[in-house]
Amino acid sequence: MAATQRLPGQISRGQAILRGTVLGIGALVFLFPFYYMVIGSLQTSPDTSLAGLFPNPANITGENYVNINERINLFTGLVNSGIFTAGVLIGTTVFGLLVGYALAVLEWRGRGATFALALLVQVVPFQLLMIPLYVMIARDYGLGDTHLGMILPFAINSTAVIIFRQYFLQVPKEMFDAARIDGAGELGLLWRVAIPLVRPALVTVVLLAFIGPWNEFLWPFLITKDASLQPLAVSLANFISNVASSTANPFGAILAGACVLAAPVVVLFLFFQQYFISTDIGSGVKG
Amino acid sequence: MSSETLGRPAGVRNPRGTTPPRPGKRPGIQRLFGKHPLGVLFSAPYLIFVGVVFAYPLVFAVYMSLHDYFFAAPGAVVDRPFTGIDNYVTALTDPRVLRSFLNVGIFLIINVPLTVVLSLVLATALNRVVHFRSFLRVAFYVPYVTASVAVVGVWLFLFNGGGLVSTLLGPLAPDPAWLINPAWAMPTIALFVTWKQLGFYILLYLAALQNVPNELYESASTDGAGAVRSFFSVTVPGVRPATVLVLLISTITGANLFTEPYLLTGGGGPNGASASPVLIMYQQGIQQGKPGYAAAIGVVLVILVLVIALLQNRFVGGREEK
């Protein structure tokens, strides 16, 4: 049999076919809803038959995008999502980088405890914090319906802190010592030596810190009642649960909004997918 | 580490003497904060953040759950009487709350095993693939990186009464349709979340598979083990730490369920058959203005999750041999 001749690690043709089939079906199941989302958003009237799987020139329209934009201002939604995401992104990269550097390179009292805290924070479930955070931020601080209130609970992503730490740990200590001998101050060291060396971590963190708030629903939903301040995920969700049934083609409008909401992250992900590496994020979660 | 740095004569490594450590320069600060006091400064914003957003609310949640807490104007001094375990008693005798815990139990029983099996099988297949690697990776991760609210739209379209799935299944489709059928609403949500999150767990398993030594596969192959056999006797034990992690994260994510029942089944319908505890917390705590009651549900939920996680760790984590 062929199986006895093959080298370890090689697989037989039958297994290769099986694996290809599994992966092919998997990819189809994963991608199909996205294809269907785009097709559905362009249909004049929803076609749920098999024929509806293919674009039908007689049934194509951009009308759904106009309709959804009349009900929820897509541009305002995108701007609010952008501000929310940018706030989290800036907080996470600036402060996350500083803590990651301090945890990996500097020696100071409380370093171990801070690292343990960063690990612990990741297992605290949001459902327990949701109500007290709402009371604090919306009621006590009066930050309901503000961008700051949206950003605050996500301002520094602890997974990013761990990822930065892991990367800084991989930089040989001698590089820092050499720069110190050359008279570099600690801030100069961070800016000129450390950051250029951890650029891949920076991209991974930016990707993570972008995807999280852009897709976040529950928290901004709780804290924004004013439609002009809602991120797109929240205004689209309100459209789905309250308004959709009053439109002529509710599915078309929902799917058009969904395409607008999904597009920025999917495009960003396609460009930077090689930085979405298993080992980085795995180490970030596992610590 | 510290003994090495203390023992090092300052002049040898710093011939020009431009940088610390120079004994006697800042002894107070260094004695208090360690060799690099700057580390404390760099970490201060994060520590304050954790204190404000995690530590304080955590304590506040427990405090609230033990009091008759109600919303008042900011700054107003009001009396919020201590009520002991009243909120907990009310929560645990409320049929809607009990139903929501049952629902999340159904969700976890479907979602967690499905997630572990599918993500491990797909990661194993993906790990050794040569062609279309990037394409496949992107295909599996895309649902994970896309907003739940966006993909919920497609699932509503696919699974409504006249949707494509029912059209394809014809008479086999349940009536009433998936999301408005009390028996099918929660399984459909569990399926949705499995599909949506699977990419992340594939990512974790791919990382873990890099740590399984190739020699193990080679010796299994020498011993005559086929692909299936070596999957069960090499891969599965080799990625066990990752399995523990996947179980933990998928359980926590499942207990946090909110967006899907809120949008897919119009707020936990039909008749509460897909309501999740977090949905009830939102309705009771924020819509009905009973945050103390909602906080009590939250505390119970977290305790249940902790118990499940400990049990998982005991049975799957197994005896770690060093």
Side-chain angles (χ1 to χ4, degrees):
Chain A
M1 259 189 83
T4 52
Q5 292 164 2
R6 66 193 157 88
L7 295 164
Q10 281 189 323
I11 56 167
S12 72
R13 174 167 300 194
Q15 285 164 359
I17 291 171
L18 178 71
R19 196 179 56 195
T21 315
V22 168
L23 288 172
I25 292 174
L28 192 72
V29 169
F30 277 78
L31 288 181
F32 170 73
F34 289 89
Y35 169 78
Y36 205 49
M37 182 157 102
V38 177
I39 290 283
S41 77
L42 295 170
Q43 287 172 346
T44 313
S45 66
D47 183 353
T48 58
S49 68
L50 283 177
L53 290 177
F54 306 99
N56 172 7
N59 195 17
I60 282 187
T61 177
E63 197 63 23
N64 293 319
Y65 288 86
V66 179
N67 283 343
I68 183 86
N69 194 38
E70 279 169 4
R71 297 307 184 95
I72 58 171
N73 192 328
L74 292 177
F75 180 73
T76 314
L78 285 172
V79 168
N80 287 327
S81 289
I83 295 173
F84 176 31
T85 305
V88 174
L89 206 60
I90 293 168
T92 296
T93 38
V94 172
F95 296 115
L97 193 82
L98 287 177
V99 194
Y101 179 77
L103 286 175
V105 180
L106 303 177
E107 286 160 35
W108 46 283
R109 187 166 293 183
R111 182 169 79 157
T114 306
F115 178 56
L117 208 60
L119 291 178
L120 204 65
V121 158
Q122 297 187 69
V123 294
V124 177
F126 187 74
Q127 70 264 42
L128 187 58
L129 306 177
M130 170 177 108
I131 299 288
L133 277 176
Y134 175 80
V135 171
M136 284 161 61
I137 291 178
R139 302 275 167 167
D140 297 348
Y141 306 161
L143 290 175
D145 279 327
T146 63
H147 291 118
L148 188 63
M150 261 183 257
I151 295 167
L152 199 59
F154 303 97
I156 308 176
N157 183 322
S158 293
T159 308
V161 170
I162 311 275
I163 292 179
F164 278 129
R165 175 185 170 270
Q166 299 295 96
Y167 263 85
F168 282 124
L169 279 178
Q170 287 164 19
V171 178
K173 264 207 143 50
E174 292 74 36
M175 297 196 80
F176 295 111
D177 289 339
R180 285 198 187 105
I181 291 167
D182 290 345
E186 287 296 331
L187 270 177
L189 207 63
L190 176 67
W191 189 249
R192 285 200 303 274
V193 181
I195 292 179
L197 284 171
V198 295
R199 208 166 274 154
L202 211 56
V203 181
T204 308
V205 165
V206 166
L207 208 55
L208 269 185
F210 187 96
I211 292 170
W214 188 272
N215 296 344
E216 174 64 27
F217 170 65
L218 177 54
W219 178 251
F221 164 74
L222 292 183
I223 202 151
T224 53
K225 294 289 162 257
D226 181 351
S228 67
L229 279 156
Q230 285 169 345
L232 190 54
V234 177
S235 48
L236 181 62
N238 284 341
F239 178 78
I240 293 176
S241 59
N242 301 325
V243 205
S245 49
S246 67
T247 36
N249 178 1
F251 284 118
I254 289 173
L255 294 176
C259 286
V260 175
L261 175 61
V265 172
V266 171
V267 169
L268 187 86
F269 176 69
L270 289 182
F271 271 107
F272 292 104
Q273 58 92 8
Q274 74 267 29
Y275 291 97
F276 206 69
I277 310 164
S278 39
T279 41
D280 293 354
I281 292 160
S283 76
V285 178
K286 276 178 288 187
Chain B
M1 189 64 75
S2 61
S3 65
E4 180 224 326
T5 46
L6 285 177
R8 177 212 294 165
V12 176
R13 293 291 289 270
N14 297 302
R16 276 177 277 162
T18 46
T19 45
R22 213 185 297 162
K25 186 74 192 289
R26 291 182 306 190
I29 293 177
Q30 294 212 346
R31 202 182 312 134
L32 197 61
F33 295 126
K35 187 183 162 200
H36 298 121
L38 205 59
V40 177
L41 192 69
F42 281 1
S43 307
Y46 178 67
L47 290 170
I48 294 169
F49 168 76
V50 170
V52 172
V53 171
F54 289 91
Y56 177 70
L58 211 59
V59 177
F60 192 23
V62 177
Y63 169 88
M64 231 192 264
S65 73
L66 297 172
H67 289 77
D68 180 14
Y69 201 95
F70 52 87
F71 295 131
V77 181
V78 286
D79 182 38
R80 292 173 171 128
F82 177 78
T83 55
I85 59 165
D86 276 10
N87 282 324
Y88 291 89
V89 173
T90 319
L92 292 175
T93 49
D94 184 341
R96 279 172 310 178
V97 174
L98 295 177
R99 175 75 217 214
S100 74
F101 281 116
L102 175 71
N103 289 337
V104 91
I106 297 172
F107 175 91
L108 292 176
I109 286 172
I110 298 171
N111 169 265
V112 174
L114 208 58
T115 298
V116 170
V117 172
L118 287 179
S119 55
L120 180 55
V121 167
L122 285 171
T124 311
L126 196 58
N127 192 34
R128 303 224 154 174
V129 89
V130 186
H131 304 290
F132 306 113
R133 205 183 160 86
S134 292
F135 167 76
L136 289 168
R137 270 168 40 104
V138 168
F140 291 148
Y141 297 162
V142 153
Y144 173 66
V145 300
T146 308
S148 230
V149 176
V151 279
V152 152
V154 196
W155 277 63
L156 281 172
F157 191 36
L158 281 167
F159 280 87
N160 76 70
L164 183 70
V165 176
S166 292
T167 310
L168 282 177
L169 288 175
L172 290 175
D175 181 40
W178 308 94
L179 293 165
I180 50 172
N181 185 319
W184 277 101
M186 210 60 204
T188 311
I189 290 175
L191 207 65
F192 170 83
V193 174
T194 310
W195 171 81
K196 170 85 173 66
Q197 301 286 338
L198 208 61
F200 175 68
Y201 302 110
I202 292 176
L203 192 81
L204 289 183
Y205 269 129
L206 272 177
L209 285 170
Q210 313 311 315
N211 297 330
V212 181
N214 232 342
E215 295 79 51
L216 286 181
Y217 287 106
E218 285 166 16
S219 56
S221 173
T222 316
D223 292 348
V228 176
R229 183 72 198 279
S230 71
F231 174 78
F232 281 107
S233 52
V234 178
T235 308
V236 172
V239 298
R240 190 190 272 169
T243 304
V244 174
L245 192 69
V246 169
L247 284 172
L248 178 73
I249 299 177
S250 57
T251 306
I252 293 179
T253 313
N256 261 315
L257 193 68
F258 173 82
T259 312
E260 292 76 15
Y262 180 76
L263 292 174
L264 276 176
T265 56
N271 208 3
S274 66
S276 69
V278 179
L279 193 73
I280 304 274
M281 284 168 68
Y282 162 70
Q283 288 167 345
Q284 293 295 319
I286 290 165
Q287 286 186 321
Q288 312 268 341
K290 291 188 277 189
Y293 184 50
I297 301 176
V299 171
V300 173
L301 183 61
V302 167
I303 291 172
L304 285 178
V305 169
L306 276 178
V307 170
I308 295 173
L310 285 176
L311 288 176
Q312 285 172 346
N313 205 11
R314 153 124 349 150
F315 289 112
V316 182
R319 296 148 290 275
E320 211 73 19
E321 287 152 49
K322 282 256 165 174

